[in-house]
Each structure stands twice: as C-alpha cells, then as structure tokens.
Coordinates of all heavy atoms in Angstrom, one line a residue:
V25 N 12.8 -51.6 16.4 CA 12.8 -50.4 17.3 C 12.0 -49.2 16.6 O 11.0 -48.7 17.2 CB 14.2 -50.0 17.7 CG1 14.1 -48.7 18.5 CG2 14.9 -51.1 18.4
A26 N 12.5 -48.8 15.5 CA 11.9 -47.7 14.8 C 12.3 -47.7 13.3 O 13.2 -48.3 12.9 CB 12.4 -46.4 15.4
A27 N 11.5 -47.0 12.5 CA 11.7 -47.0 11.1 C 11.2 -45.7 10.4 O 10.3 -45.1 10.9 CB 11.1 -48.2 10.4
T28 N 11.9 -45.3 9.3 CA 11.3 -44.3 8.4 C 11.1 -44.9 7.1 O 12.0 -45.6 6.6 CB 12.3 -43.1 8.4 OG1 13.6 -43.5 7.8 CG2 12.5 -42.4 9.7
R29 N 10.0 -44.6 6.5 CA 9.7 -45.1 5.2 C 9.4 -44.0 4.2 O 8.6 -43.1 4.5 CB 8.5 -46.1 5.2 CG 8.2 -46.8 3.9 CD 7.1 -47.9 4.1 NE 5.8 -47.3 4.4 CZ 4.7 -48.0 4.6 NH1 4.8 -49.4 4.5 NH2 3.6 -47.5 4.8
W30 N 10.1 -44.1 3.1 CA 9.9 -43.0 2.1 C 8.5 -43.0 1.5 O 8.0 -44.1 1.1 CB 11.0 -43.2 1.0 CG 10.9 -42.2 -0.1 CD1 11.3 -40.9 -0.1 CD2 10.4 -42.4 -1.5 NE1 11.1 -40.3 -1.3 CE2 10.5 -41.2 -2.2 CE3 9.8 -43.6 -2.1 CZ2 10.1 -41.1 -3.5 CZ3 9.4 -43.4 -3.4 CH2 9.6 -42.2 -4.1
I31 N 7.9 -41.9 1.4 CA 6.6 -41.7 0.8 C 6.7 -41.1 -0.6 O 6.4 -41.7 -1.6 CB 5.7 -40.8 1.6 CG1 5.5 -41.4 3.0 CG2 4.3 -40.7 0.9 CD1 4.9 -42.8 3.1
S32 N 7.3 -39.9 -0.7 CA 7.6 -39.2 -1.9 C 8.4 -38.0 -1.6 O 8.3 -37.4 -0.5 CB 6.3 -38.8 -2.7 OG 5.6 -37.9 -2.0
G33 N 9.3 -37.6 -2.5 CA 10.1 -36.4 -2.3 C 10.9 -36.5 -1.0 O 11.7 -37.5 -0.9
T34 N 10.6 -35.6 -0.1 CA 11.3 -35.7 1.2 C 10.3 -36.0 2.3 O 10.6 -35.7 3.5 CB 12.0 -34.3 1.5 OG1 11.0 -33.2 1.4 CG2 13.1 -34.0 0.5
S35 N 9.2 -36.6 2.0 CA 8.2 -37.0 2.9 C 8.4 -38.4 3.4 O 8.6 -39.3 2.5 CB 6.8 -36.8 2.3 OG 6.5 -35.5 2.0
Y36 N 8.4 -38.7 4.7 CA 8.6 -40.0 5.2 C 7.6 -40.2 6.3 O 7.1 -39.3 7.0 CB 10.0 -40.1 5.8 CG 11.1 -39.9 4.8 CD1 11.6 -38.7 4.5 CD2 11.6 -41.0 4.2 CE1 12.6 -38.5 3.6 CE2 12.6 -40.9 3.2 CZ 13.1 -39.6 3.0 OH 14.1 -39.4 2.0
S37 N 7.2 -41.5 6.5 CA 6.4 -41.9 7.7 C 7.4 -42.5 8.7 O 8.5 -43.0 8.4 CB 5.4 -42.9 7.3 OG 6.0 -44.1 6.8
A38 N 6.9 -42.4 10.0 CA 7.7 -43.0 11.1 C 6.9 -44.0 11.9 O 5.7 -43.8 12.1 CB 8.2 -41.9 12.0
D39 N 7.6 -45.1 12.2 CA 6.9 -46.1 13.0 C 7.8 -46.5 14.2 O 9.0 -46.5 14.1 CB 6.6 -47.4 12.1 CG 5.7 -47.1 11.0 OD1 4.5 -46.8 11.3 OD2 6.1 -47.1 9.8
F40 N 7.2 -46.9 15.3 CA 7.9 -47.2 16.5 C 7.3 -48.4 17.2 O 6.1 -48.6 17.1 CB 7.9 -46.0 17.5 CG 8.5 -44.8 17.0 CD1 7.7 -43.8 16.4 CD2 9.9 -44.5 17.1 CE1 8.3 -42.6 15.9 CE2 10.4 -43.4 16.6 CZ 9.6 -42.4 16.0
A41 N 8.2 -49.2 17.8 CA 7.7 -50.3 18.6 C 7.0 -49.7 19.8 O 7.4 -48.6 20.3 CB 8.9 -51.1 19.0
D42 N 6.0 -50.4 20.3 CA 5.3 -50.0 21.5 C 6.2 -49.7 22.7 O 5.9 -48.8 23.5 CB 4.2 -51.0 21.9 CG 3.1 -51.0 20.9 OD1 2.9 -50.1 20.1 OD2 2.3 -52.0 20.9
S43 N 7.3 -50.5 22.8 CA 8.1 -50.4 24.0 C 8.9 -49.1 24.0 O 9.4 -48.7 25.1 CB 9.1 -51.6 24.0 OG 9.9 -51.6 22.8
V44 N 9.0 -48.4 22.9 CA 9.8 -47.1 22.8 C 9.0 -45.9 22.5 O 9.5 -44.8 22.5 CB 11.0 -47.3 21.9 CG1 11.9 -48.5 22.2 CG2 10.5 -47.3 20.4
K45 N 7.7 -46.1 22.1 CA 6.9 -44.9 21.8 C 6.8 -43.9 22.9 O 6.7 -44.2 24.0 CB 5.4 -45.4 21.4 CG 5.3 -46.1 20.1 CD 3.8 -46.3 19.7 CE 3.1 -47.1 20.7 NZ 1.7 -47.4 20.3
G46 N 7.0 -42.6 22.5 CA 7.0 -41.6 23.4 C 8.3 -41.3 24.0 O 8.5 -40.2 24.7
R47 N 9.3 -42.2 23.8 CA 10.6 -42.0 24.4 C 11.7 -41.8 23.3 O 12.6 -41.1 23.4 CB 11.0 -43.2 25.2 CG 10.1 -43.4 26.5 CD 10.7 -44.4 27.4 NE 10.8 -45.7 26.8 CZ 11.9 -46.4 26.6 NH1 13.0 -45.9 27.1 NH2 11.9 -47.6 26.1
F48 N 11.5 -42.5 22.2 CA 12.5 -42.5 21.1 C 11.9 -41.7 19.9 O 10.7 -41.8 19.6 CB 12.8 -43.9 20.6 CG 13.6 -44.7 21.5 CD1 13.8 -44.3 22.8 CD2 14.1 -45.9 21.1 CE1 14.6 -45.1 23.7 CE2 14.9 -46.7 22.0 CZ 15.1 -46.3 23.3
T49 N 12.8 -41.0 19.1 CA 12.4 -40.4 17.9 C 13.4 -40.8 16.8 O 14.6 -41.1 17.1 CB 12.3 -38.9 18.0 OG1 13.6 -38.4 18.4 CG2 11.2 -38.5 18.9
C50 N 13.0 -40.9 15.6 CA 13.8 -41.3 14.5 C 13.7 -40.3 13.4 O 12.6 -39.8 13.0 CB 13.4 -42.7 14.0 SG 14.5 -43.4 12.7
S51 N 14.9 -39.9 12.8 CA 14.9 -38.9 11.8 C 16.0 -39.3 10.8 O 16.9 -40.1 11.1 CB 15.1 -37.5 12.3 OG 16.3 -37.4 13.0
R52 N 16.0 -38.6 9.6 CA 17.0 -38.8 8.6 C 17.4 -37.6 7.9 O 16.6 -36.6 7.8 CB 16.6 -39.9 7.6 CG 15.3 -39.5 6.8 CD 14.7 -40.8 6.2 NE 15.5 -41.2 5.1 CZ 15.3 -42.4 4.5 NH1 14.4 -43.2 4.9 NH2 16.1 -42.8 3.5
D53 N 18.7 -37.5 7.5 CA 19.2 -36.4 6.7 C 19.8 -37.0 5.5 O 20.9 -37.5 5.4 CB 20.3 -35.7 7.5 CG 20.8 -34.4 6.9 OD1 20.7 -34.3 5.6 OD2 21.4 -33.6 7.6
N54 N 19.0 -36.9 4.4 CA 19.4 -37.5 3.1 C 20.6 -36.8 2.5 O 21.4 -37.5 1.8 CB 18.2 -37.4 2.1 CG 17.1 -38.3 2.6 OD1 17.3 -39.4 3.0 ND2 15.9 -37.8 2.5
A55 N 20.8 -35.5 2.7 CA 22.0 -34.9 2.2 C 23.3 -35.4 2.8 O 24.3 -35.4 2.1 CB 21.9 -33.4 2.5
K56 N 23.2 -36.0 4.0 CA 24.4 -36.6 4.7 C 24.3 -38.1 4.6 O 25.2 -38.7 5.2 CB 24.4 -36.1 6.1 CG 24.6 -34.6 6.3 CD 24.7 -34.2 7.7 CE 24.9 -32.7 7.9 NZ 25.0 -32.3 9.3
N57 N 23.3 -38.7 4.0 CA 23.1 -40.1 4.0 C 23.2 -40.6 5.4 O 23.9 -41.6 5.7 CB 24.2 -40.8 3.1 CG 23.8 -40.9 1.7 OD1 22.7 -40.5 1.3 ND2 24.7 -41.5 0.9
A58 N 22.4 -40.0 6.3 CA 22.4 -40.3 7.7 C 21.0 -40.6 8.3 O 20.1 -40.0 7.9 CB 23.1 -39.2 8.5
L59 N 21.0 -41.5 9.2 CA 19.8 -41.8 10.0 C 20.1 -41.6 11.5 O 21.2 -42.0 11.9 CB 19.4 -43.2 9.7 CG 18.1 -43.8 10.4 CD1 16.9 -43.1 9.8 CD2 18.1 -45.3 10.3
Y60 N 19.2 -41.1 12.2 CA 19.4 -40.9 13.7 C 18.3 -41.5 14.5 O 17.2 -41.7 14.1 CB 19.4 -39.4 13.9 CG 20.4 -38.6 13.1 CD1 20.0 -37.9 11.9 CD2 21.7 -38.6 13.4 CE1 20.9 -37.2 11.1 CE2 22.6 -37.9 12.6 CZ 22.2 -37.2 11.5 OH 23.1 -36.5 10.7
L61 N 18.7 -41.9 15.7 CA 17.8 -42.4 16.7 C 18.0 -41.6 18.0 O 19.1 -41.8 18.6 CB 17.9 -43.9 16.9 CG 16.9 -44.5 17.9 CD1 15.5 -44.5 17.3 CD2 17.3 -45.9 18.2
Q62 N 17.1 -40.7 18.4 CA 17.2 -40.0 19.7 C 16.5 -40.8 20.7 O 15.3 -41.1 20.6 CB 16.6 -38.6 19.5 CG 16.6 -37.8 20.8 CD 18.0 -37.5 21.3 OE1 18.8 -37.0 20.5 NE2 18.3 -37.7 22.6
M63 N 17.2 -41.3 21.7 CA 16.7 -42.1 22.8 C 16.6 -41.3 24.1 O 17.7 -41.0 24.6 CB 17.5 -43.4 22.9 CG 17.7 -44.2 21.6 SD 18.5 -45.7 21.9 CE 20.2 -45.1 22.3
N64 N 15.4 -41.1 24.6 CA 15.3 -40.4 25.9 C 14.6 -41.3 26.9 O 14.0 -42.4 26.6 CB 14.4 -39.2 25.6 CG 14.9 -38.2 24.7 OD1 16.1 -37.9 24.7 ND2 14.0 -37.7 23.8
T65 N 14.7 -40.9 28.2 CA 14.2 -41.7 29.3 C 14.6 -43.2 29.2 O 13.7 -44.0 29.2 CB 12.7 -41.5 29.3 OG1 12.3 -40.1 29.1 CG2 12.1 -41.9 30.7
L66 N 15.8 -43.4 29.0 CA 16.3 -44.8 28.8 C 16.1 -45.6 30.0 O 16.2 -45.2 31.2 CB 17.8 -44.8 28.4 CG 18.0 -44.4 27.0 CD1 19.5 -44.0 26.8 CD2 17.7 -45.5 26.0
K67 N 15.8 -46.9 29.8 CA 15.5 -47.9 30.8 C 16.5 -49.0 30.7 O 17.1 -49.3 29.6 CB 14.1 -48.5 30.7 CG 13.0 -47.4 30.7 CD 11.7 -48.1 30.4 CE 10.5 -47.1 30.5 NZ 9.2 -47.7 30.2
P68 N 16.8 -49.8 31.8 CA 17.7 -50.9 31.7 C 17.3 -51.9 30.6 O 18.1 -52.6 30.0 CB 17.6 -51.5 33.0 CG 17.4 -50.4 33.9 CD 16.4 -49.5 33.2
E69 N 16.0 -52.0 30.3 CA 15.4 -52.9 29.3 C 15.8 -52.5 27.9 O 15.7 -53.3 27.0 CB 13.9 -53.0 29.4 CG 13.4 -53.4 30.7 CD 13.0 -52.3 31.6 OE1 14.0 -51.6 32.2 OE2 11.8 -52.0 31.8

C-alpha cells in the first residue's frame, strides 16, 4: 500500500501503490515510534 524509507537523519522517502496514489498519505513520528496512514476518498475496493 505505502511505505516510508529512511534516508538520513529525519529525512524519509515515501512510496505508494498506484491504486492509492493521490488518496492515501503515509507519515511517521519517530519520537512516538508511530507510523500513520491517512486514507481519504475511500472506495469499496
């Protein structure tokens, strides 16, 4: 679905499946050891 890859420091790259691009966003909060997926315009699929 989506991924964040560590580059250096607090810099990350983000990748998304074509099926969710433009609708989903992915982020992380390292201080909280947390990863998030914001899903908008959801479809039955």
Side-chain angles (χ1 to χ4, degrees):
V25 178
T28 62
R29 187 170 69 179
W30 179 75
I31 304 299
S32 64
T34 57
S35 297
Y36 300 87
S37 63
D39 297 291
F40 300 92
D42 289 343
S43 60
V44 305
K45 284 192 300 184
R47 299 189 297 121
F48 291 10
T49 58
C50 186
S51 61
R52 58 197 292 168
D53 185 339
N54 293 317
K56 298 180 179 179
N57 273 359
L59 179 73
Y60 305 99
L61 182 68
Q62 178 66 47
M63 306 184 294
N64 300 318
T65 318
L66 283 162
K67 304 175 180 180
E69 302 94 286

